[in-house]
Amino acid sequence: MPTTIHVPFVDLRAQHDALAPEIERAVRQVFERGDFILGAAVDAFEHEFAAYHDVRHAIGVGTGLDAIEIALRAHGIGPGDEVITAANTFIATVLAILAVGARPVLVDADAERYTIDPAALSAAITSRTRAIVPVHLFGQPVDVDGVLAIARRYNLLVVEDAAQAHGARYNGQRVGGFGHAAAFSFYPSKNLGAYGDGGMIVTNDNETAQKLRLLRNYGQRAKYAHSIAGTNSRLDTVQAAILRVKLPHLDEWNAARRRHAARYEELIEATFGVDRPVRTPGLVAAHVYHQYVVRVPDRDRVRAGLAADGIETQVYYPIPLHLQPCFANLGYKPGDLPEAERASREALALPLYPELPEEALQSLDFFLQKGDDPVILLDRVAKMVKRKTSQHRISNGSSG
């Protein structure tokens, strides 16, 4: 009986194996110094991350959620204020808004980008609106010009949620430097991931940076001297040391993600033709493909079929935020944000990570017949990826 080959949605071990000696050396140096809280590696990584994103300041914090929350707090957002963000995003974005006491106002997604639709922003603005948190979703930058035009018109704060977009660009500029501040996450599966939680806030404003550093560390300017009421959210020194090893590889990893996305695009176009029932994200030069998300009818049946063959997929996100039970008090109902709701029914993320074997996508033959059931065809595509992945693992002596 043939052995079932498991195709993971993401393979974090593959990335670690390639960098293990460097990472172990960097971590050992932290242990030898003993500077575990806001140590030398944190300061060095903050400077390197800021330089990479072409911003003046980077402030390491505990999580991506904390990064958004502390950025909002630093700009005075609080009770009585409204903050606009996308319904089609991870819950952390909205939890951060609630954490400062503000009310989240959710708007619909752009049908093509999956990101916040600038056309929906104006209608959501009230006399209480103070800020916009646009989300660069799946590695795809939002329509930055559209968002900033609305923000300038109404004099609103902009805090970019760049948790899924490390290294992505808009009109040649890396995301993170367009708003008043931006938040990043280093959750392990991100394009730049730590070995635990971690986050970063970037800004070009000197006074804001100073306040952010106070807020993350109990509000103290010197030990036991607290000038403001802060919190405890500091990027761990061990995680910073690991991220320093990884950061120089980010561009090559993002390039690999784009290559894999391009092969998916070619295969799906050749399989289904122009008028295909499967919608893809397309090839966008600035996209860093944190996820490769297609939209397909009967998504759940497709996913079940792939799972039965040992091929992992994910759904981002099965319940849009405006319909989550925990946010029932916000007053939204089904049908209020139709694009976000449609994405929740159709979106399916296929395996994509930098170390996905090239053979899994480059050697595929475009022989599939057009006009078949898209469920069957996508299953065939995934099986070919699986077969090539299996061959790669056997030739390299790996298993599992």
Side-chain angles (χ1 to χ4, degrees):
M1 187 173 180
T3 302
T4 299
I5 302 298
H6 175 235
V7 179
F9 182 70
V10 64
D11 187 352
L12 299 180
R13 188 184 68 180
Q15 187 174 98
H16 173 76
D17 288 348
L19 299 175
E22 289 181 78
I23 288 174
E24 290 166 7
R25 183 166 55 252
V27 171
R28 186 165 55 250
Q29 289 171 352
V30 175
F31 293 161
E32 291 170 353
R33 290 192 305 269
D35 58 344
F36 299 110
I37 304 298
L38 294 179
V42 175
D43 183 68
F45 178 60
E46 288 175 341
H47 282 88
E48 291 159 1
F49 193 81
Y52 177 83
H53 283 90
D54 302 317
V55 294
R56 292 179 183 171
H57 305 282
I59 298 91
V61 294
T63 68
L65 188 159
D66 289 351
I68 300 172
E69 176 188 344
I70 294 172
L72 291 172
R73 287 183 62 187
H75 288 91
I77 304 300
D81 297 332
E82 292 181 352
V83 178
I84 301 174
T85 193
N88 182 38
T89 185
F90 183 54
I91 194 171
T93 312
V94 171
L95 292 179
I97 296 169
L98 290 171
V100 301
R103 178 183 177 83
V105 175
L106 305 177
V107 297
D108 212 357
D110 181 297
E112 298 299 323
R113 294 173 181 257
Y114 302 100
T115 57
I116 197 169
D117 183 359
L121 288 175
S122 293
I125 292 172
T126 72
S127 60
R128 295 177 178 269
T129 305
R130 290 282 310 283
I132 304 172
V133 180
V135 182
H136 303 300
L137 194 67
F138 305 147
Q140 166 87 315
V142 302
D143 178 353
V144 173
D145 289 339
V147 171
L148 293 183
I150 296 295
R152 284 192 291 267
R153 185 185 309 167
Y154 294 96
N155 193 30
L156 301 176
L157 172 75
V158 175
V159 174
E160 300 171 62
D161 181 344
Q164 301 182 16
H166 309 74
R169 293 179 182 270
Y170 182 87
N171 289 343
Q173 178 181 334
R174 295 194 197 276
V175 299
F178 292 101
H180 298 82
F184 290 84
S185 166
F186 301 124
Y187 184 79
S189 62
K190 302 297 187 185
N191 291 37
L192 181 64
Y195 286 4
D197 278 317
M200 188 75 79
I201 311 167
V202 300
T203 183
N204 283 309
D205 186 81
N206 296 338
E207 291 186 11
T208 298
Q210 183 178 22
K211 190 169 185 180
L212 290 167
R213 294 184 190 281
L214 290 174
L215 284 170
R216 72 164 175 187
N217 190 30
Y218 299 107
Q220 60 183 3
R221 294 185 182 276
K223 199 166 183 66
Y224 307 128
H226 306 267
S227 57
I228 60 175
T231 188
N232 175 14
S233 181
R234 303 170 295 206
L235 179 62
D236 184 85
T237 305
V238 171
Q239 301 298 346
I242 293 167
L243 291 164
R244 289 193 70 201
V245 173
K246 287 188 164 192
L247 181 59
H249 300 275
L250 180 55
D251 284 343
E252 65 184 84
W253 289 339
N254 284 343
R257 289 175 179 272
R258 291 190 190 97
R259 288 196 300 272
H260 297 326
R263 298 304 288 168
Y264 269 131
E265 291 285 330
E266 292 174 10
L267 176 60
I268 292 173
E269 181 176 351
T271 300
F272 297 108
V274 177
D275 297 322
R276 52 186 185 257
V278 177
R279 291 184 58 187
T280 69
L283 294 179
V284 181
H287 203 317
V288 293
Y289 295 96
H290 173 58
Q291 308 294 352
Y292 182 83
V293 179
V294 300
R295 287 167 68 156
V296 60
D298 208 357
R299 187 267 319 282
D300 293 340
R301 184 160 66 99
V302 175
R303 191 178 188 213
L306 299 180
D309 286 324
I311 301 163
E312 291 184 7
T313 59
Q314 292 292 340
V315 173
Y316 302 107
Y317 297 92
I319 305 174
L321 293 181
H322 68 292
L323 299 181
Q324 289 284 358
C326 61
F327 298 142
N329 63 315
L330 296 179
Y332 295 100
K333 62 184 184 302
D336 283 348
L337 303 175
E339 287 299 333
E341 292 171 34
R342 188 156 73 98
S344 74
R345 296 189 299 268
E346 298 180 352
L348 182 67
L350 302 179
L352 192 150
Y353 49 94
E355 300 79 16
L356 184 68
E358 293 285 347
E359 295 89 338
L361 296 172
Q362 290 182 343
S363 301
L364 298 179
D365 296 318
F366 302 147
F367 61 83
L368 301 177
Q369 296 179 0
K370 298 178 183 179
D372 282 359
D373 180 349
V375 175
I376 296 172
L377 288 175
L378 271 185
D379 186 59
R380 290 180 189 170
V381 169
K383 283 180 177 176
M384 287 192 291
V385 172
K386 176 180 175 180
R387 183 167 64 250
K388 294 298 183 181
T389 301
S390 172
Q391 293 170 356
H392 176 86
R393 289 180 176 176
I394 292 171
S395 66
N396 285 279
S398 56
S399 60

